[in-house]
């Protein structure tokens, strides 16, 4: 069924097999469009997932094309509020954040928060995903302290379990940027132990963890050696500050 195919593609994504994820979602777009129509929320969701997976494979032009397609198909009013719509908005906002477009991210965050309030999910995982994007917005404004403060508020409200590896990894990054070296080191040790049970040592997430290690050690965020190591591990250009996608928000 289409639902099973969606979960299969999502499983490939979470396993880090982004090429297969992209291929599966791309095939699913055509089937979902044919059955549900191009503007059905489930169709738009799959289109946004293709955009995400193509970004993860480094196919940036294709990613942007699918993101534009998903954005154009969304109901501008976001009515009626649905979890699927929230998922699409979060995916597209993550791509906008990754592109470093603060001007475009601000209204998307407002839309996400409005839908979250309508769905009453402010204490769910959705709150953490929104907070990661909100923290990145503050980082783009140059305020690491505000980014960390907002994110820690969300962690208290949503009570994120350590099993959410990517949220915990991003937290270590924010701690490091805010100069909380001791706390960042403790957090990173926990994250590394968890990541080692899920991914092979060469998986790109470990390069992001190494980058955080360099920050904790006092190296500047734009250290050439650190950026070169990131560029070698990821198929996309390095843009600072690193967006949540570099730490696994998908």
């Amino acid at each position: 069924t289409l639902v099973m195919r969606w979960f299969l593609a999502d499983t490939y994504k979470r396993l880090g097999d982004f090429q297969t994820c992209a291929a599966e979602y791309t095939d699913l777009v055509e089937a979902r469009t044919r059955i549900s129509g191009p503007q059905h929320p489930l169709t738009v969701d799959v289109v946004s997932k293709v955009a995400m997976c193509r970004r993860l494979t480094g196919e940036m032009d294709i990613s942007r094309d699918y993101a534009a397609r998903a954005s154009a198909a969304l109901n501008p009013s976001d009515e009626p509020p649905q979890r699927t719509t929230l998922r699409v908005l979060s995916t597209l906002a993550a791509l906008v954040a990754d592109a470093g477009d603060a001007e475009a991210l601000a209204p998307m965050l407002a839309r996400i928060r409005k839908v979250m309030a309508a769905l009453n999910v402010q204490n769910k995982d959705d709150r953490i995903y929104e907070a990661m994007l909100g923290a990145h917005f503050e980082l783009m404004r140059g305020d690491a302290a505000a980014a960390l403060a907002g994110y820690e508020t969300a962690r208290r409200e949503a009570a994120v379990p350590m099993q959410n590896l990517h949220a915990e990894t991003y937290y270590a990054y924010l701690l490091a940027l805010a100069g909380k070296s001791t706390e960042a080191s403790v957090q990173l040790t926990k994250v590394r132990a968890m990541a080692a049970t899920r991914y092979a040592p060469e998986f790109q997430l470990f390069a992001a963890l190494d980058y955080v290690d360099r920050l904790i050690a006092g190296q500047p965020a734009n250290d050439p050696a650190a950026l070169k190591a990131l560029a070698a591990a990821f198929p996309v250009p390095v843009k600072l500050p690193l967006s949540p996608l570099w730490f696994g928000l998908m």
Side-chain angles (χ1 to χ4, degrees):
T1 67
L2 297 184
V3 173
M4 291 178 65
R5 290 176 64 184
W6 188 98
F7 279 107
L8 176 62
D10 190 64
T11 298
Y12 281 121
K13 181 182 65 176
R14 295 183 183 280
L15 290 173
D17 187 349
F18 302 133
Q19 288 288 353
T20 304
C21 158
E24 290 287 340
Y25 273 131
T26 300
D27 288 345
L28 185 54
V29 163
E30 306 313 317
R32 177 57 79 181
T33 301
R34 185 175 65 254
I35 293 170
S36 303
Q39 294 185 308
H40 191 283
L42 292 176
T43 303
V44 183
D45 176 50
V46 177
V47 172
S48 74
K49 290 296 188 292
V50 176
M52 176 62 72
C53 286
R54 294 298 180 185
R55 182 275 179 200
L56 295 171
T57 60
E59 298 168 283
M60 303 304 289
D61 288 343
I62 298 177
S63 174
R64 283 188 285 267
D65 287 346
Y66 273 90
R69 178 175 167 182
S71 182
L74 271 177
N75 184 341
S77 71
D78 301 322
E79 294 290 344
Q82 300 180 36
R83 289 296 290 268
T84 302
T85 299
L86 178 58
R87 191 165 59 227
V88 173
L89 286 171
S90 297
T91 299
L92 295 177
L95 292 168
V96 167
D98 189 61
D101 191 343
E103 184 176 352
L105 180 58
M108 295 194 75
L109 280 169
R111 288 178 71 179
I112 288 170
R113 289 162 181 161
K114 181 180 177 181
V115 175
M116 284 176 58
L119 295 173
N120 193 28
V121 294
Q122 294 95 326
N123 64 341
K124 307 291 186 182
D125 280 356
D126 305 270
R127 173 72 171 101
I128 292 298
Y129 300 143
E130 173 268 324
M132 293 173 82
L133 296 170
H136 186 67
F137 180 76
E138 294 296 344
L139 291 181
M140 286 193 288
R141 296 176 60 213
D143 197 338
L148 177 61
Y151 194 63
E152 289 186 325
T153 297
R155 284 169 58 83
R156 290 191 296 271
E157 292 175 354
V160 177
M162 262 300 287
Q163 285 72 22
N164 192 325
L165 172 62
H166 309 305
E168 295 297 322
T169 303
Y170 190 65
Y171 184 40
Y173 176 57
L174 291 178
L175 286 167
L177 288 179
K180 307 285 187 179
S181 299
T182 301
E183 295 94 327
S185 182
V186 171
Q187 180 70 10
L188 192 61
T189 297
K190 295 177 182 177
V191 166
R192 279 193 183 278
M194 186 185 302
T197 68
R198 300 189 185 185
Y199 300 114
E202 64 274 13
F203 186 57
Q204 60 190 27
L205 177 63
F206 290 102
L209 301 185
D210 291 342
Y211 176 77
V212 175
D213 250 336
R214 291 173 181 261
L215 295 178
I216 293 171
Q219 294 186 15
N222 61 351
D223 177 74
L227 298 183
K228 182 177 181 180
L230 279 175
F234 287 82
V236 294
V238 179
K239 183 185 293 291
L240 297 179
L242 297 180
S243 82
L245 291 187
W246 291 76
F247 301 94
L249 177 63
M250 307 170 193

